[in-house]
Amino acid sequence: MTAKIAILGAGISGLATAHRLSKDHDVTVFEAGPRAGGNIRTERIGIQGVGDCLVEWGPNGFLDNEPAMLALVRELGLESRVVTARDEAARRMIWRAGRLHDLPANPRAFLTSGCLPLGARLRVLFEPFAKAAPPDDVDESIHAFASRRIGRAAADVLVDAFVTGVFAGDPGRLSVASAFPRLKKLELEYGSLFKGMKAKRSSGPGPGGTLTSFDNGLSVLIDELASRVNLKLNEPWERIEQRDFDRVICTVPAARAAIALDAEHHELAETLRRIPTAPIAIVVAGFREPLDVPEAFGFLVPHGQGLRILGTLYDSSIFAGRAPAGVRTFRTMIGGRRDAGAMEMTDDELCELAARELRQVWGTYPDPVFTRVIRHSLGIAQYEAGHAGIVARTEELSPGWLTLAGSSYRGVAINACVKEAMATRA
């Protein structure tokens, strides 16, 4: 039976859900703003006499390890436009003790690297003998989980940087079961992360995947999805109500959904407000060659290592064709869960901060040929302690005609949003 469905929000979750359900139902997507894509947006920045740079406002790719995402790309006929990260992007770095260190690519390299002090590196090797997990009713933080399994120093540096790169969050607040359920599952199934990863490798290709995008950036995916659904832009719902629809699927961030639900569903709105976010500002800068900075994916900065920036992605090194010959582009992240006050800085102040700290990291910072400041006031949803219970409570409180979906609940990455969308039923 055909259902009449309203989808609120034209980010990747809303568009992918609409694509899935439009095959059998009457679906309309309502987007409050003038464009589709949410945080996903690819901008062309022209440099006179040189050419255009492609700059991502949000994520710069997805891993090719999610079947639902790969199936969506095939359905949309975008296989020929897929691009994978350059070999140079395999080099990733971390800022520790006043200098950059390469993140090791294998256990032998880890033992000889400077990413951690020797004692901390040796402690990581004892992971298979770590203390058992706490009782099921304890929602362990990522920091506590990592400290227990690989040691406090590794948790403070390596894991902190990893969490910065994914959530811009605080590992001491984020729930390992909600934010990184695969890690928790490895421990429960194998008793050790090392044993679990070894078993996964022996049973087939590893779960890491290859970073992937499209020839003209992630907007290729957004534009193709938007062209295939019934999309209404500049159509905000001040109140979320059933109206004349059989079902309403709300994919906007929890904080925005709470505002629109407050009048009729106050308890549900209050529950949604318990899902915090990490605001992010991004300073994009382009430089002419020669630039004495190595080709790499970029570097991340663990908390407490003397810099305020969260890290820098070397965008033109990651995917080919993102900058014209003789130009390199970089994106520096500022803010996050532990530095929300950074969003109060002016654009000039953010650019000055990025320049000052990149000069400290690189030893150089020539005049850029362009800069751009991008702000995400809500940024990334934070799956902090009790998140699973919050999500369960929202399901209990939601009226039968309403479904809450999107990155606020069960996964912040593009792959997680698409997987959820492809599994959605009317």
Side-chain angles (χ1 to χ4, degrees):
M1 180 177 173
T2 300
K4 188 176 181 183
I5 301 171
I7 295 179
L8 309 186
I12 184 62
S13 291
L15 292 174
T17 302
H19 173 73
R20 162 72 180 83
L21 295 180
S22 292
K23 299 172 184 177
D24 303 303
H25 302 284
D26 178 8
V27 180
T28 303
V29 182
F30 296 89
E31 166 57 44
R35 51 170 291 276
N39 286 345
I40 298 176
R41 179 178 177 182
T42 309
E43 181 184 5
R44 284 187 174 273
I45 298 177
I47 302 175
Q48 188 172 7
V50 178
D52 291 347
C53 297
L54 286 181
V55 173
E56 298 286 8
W57 281 49
N60 64 355
F62 59 92
L63 296 176
D64 65 351
N65 60 359
E66 173 50 57
M69 183 66 184
L70 300 180
L72 177 62
V73 171
R74 287 194 299 270
E75 282 184 30
L76 298 175
L78 295 176
E79 300 101 316
S80 65
R81 304 192 64 180
V82 167
V83 295
T84 56
R86 301 169 64 205
D87 291 343
E88 288 82 355
R91 184 181 185 187
R92 301 175 184 228
M93 296 171 286
I94 193 169
W95 176 262
R96 187 188 74 80
R99 61 182 291 261
L100 288 176
H101 300 268
D102 284 300
L103 287 175
N106 56 62
R108 178 174 295 181
F110 174 74
L111 286 175
T112 59
S113 77
C115 65
L116 290 173
L118 177 60
R121 280 176 271 150
L122 294 175
R123 168 62 183 86
V124 172
L125 299 181
F126 284 87
E127 188 277 333
F129 309 101
K131 294 179 182 178
D136 290 343
D137 61 349
V138 175
D139 194 2
E140 193 174 24
S141 73
I142 294 171
H143 188 271
F145 174 86
S147 296
R148 177 170 58 81
R149 297 240 49 110
I150 60 176
R152 176 67 181 266
D156 286 347
V157 177
L158 299 182
V159 174
D160 189 289
F162 177 66
V163 170
T164 292
V166 177
F167 281 92
D170 181 347
R173 293 181 176 184
L174 288 166
S175 159
V176 68
S178 294
F180 297 105
R182 288 184 178 180
L183 291 180
K184 189 65 178 176
K185 186 177 180 181
L186 284 178
E187 180 183 49
L188 294 175
E189 289 187 2
Y190 298 95
S192 161
L193 302 182
F194 288 179
K195 291 178 182 178
M197 288 186 285
K198 183 178 180 180
K200 294 292 185 182
R201 284 197 300 269
S202 65
S203 63
T210 299
L211 185 64
T212 304
S213 184
F214 301 93
D215 52 5
N216 284 319
L218 287 176
S219 283
V220 169
L221 175 65
I222 297 300
D223 292 345
E224 186 62 31
L225 283 169
S227 72
R228 292 173 178 242
V229 301
N230 181 17
L231 173 62
K232 295 185 179 297
L233 299 175
N234 298 305
E235 289 276 357
W237 281 36
E238 302 297 339
R239 289 190 178 190
I240 297 177
E241 49 199 1
Q242 188 172 7
R243 301 188 183 182
D244 61 344
F245 294 93
D246 299 304
R247 176 161 295 280
V248 176
I249 301 175
C250 179
T251 68
V252 303
R256 292 198 175 116
I259 296 171
L261 284 164
D262 206 16
E264 301 294 333
H265 303 277
H266 181 69
E267 188 176 357
L268 174 57
E270 287 299 299
T271 304
L272 290 172
R273 290 190 177 100
R274 293 171 58 196
I275 302 175
T277 62
I280 292 286
I282 302 169
V283 176
V284 186
F287 302 90
R288 292 185 186 274
E289 296 277 30
L291 181 66
D292 189 21
V293 176
E295 298 271 359
F297 184 88
F299 68 88
L300 292 170
V301 181
H303 189 65
Q305 290 295 322
L307 297 181
R308 188 172 183 180
I309 63 174
L310 302 177
T312 297
L313 299 180
Y314 296 10
D315 271 12
S316 55
S317 297
I318 299 173
F319 292 110
R322 295 303 165 95
V327 175
R328 295 181 63 187
T329 55
F330 301 84
R331 288 191 301 161
T332 298
M333 302 168 289
I334 302 171
R337 181 68 165 135
R338 292 178 289 201
D339 190 14
M343 300 300 286
E344 298 175 7
M345 300 171 69
T346 66
D347 286 1
D348 285 345
E349 289 170 337
L350 289 168
C351 289
E352 290 169 5
L353 171 63
R356 182 171 63 251
E357 298 202 344
L358 285 175
R359 185 176 292 111
Q360 182 177 344
V361 173
W362 292 340
T364 183
Y365 192 87
D367 291 337
V369 292
F370 76 85
T371 58
R372 172 80 84 256
V373 175
I374 299 165
R375 297 174 183 267
H376 299 292
S377 58
L378 290 181
I380 305 170
Q382 302 292 288
Y383 300 172
E384 297 187 348
H387 181 77
I390 293 171
V391 173
R393 184 59 177 155
T394 65
E395 292 172 347
E396 294 173 1
L397 293 171
S398 294
W401 49 265
L402 176 64
T403 297
L404 296 172
S407 63
S408 293
Y409 309 102
R410 301 170 189 85
V412 299
I414 293 174
N415 279 352
C417 293
V418 170
K419 181 180 180 180
E420 180 185 50
M422 294 298 100
T424 300
R425 299 292 183 268

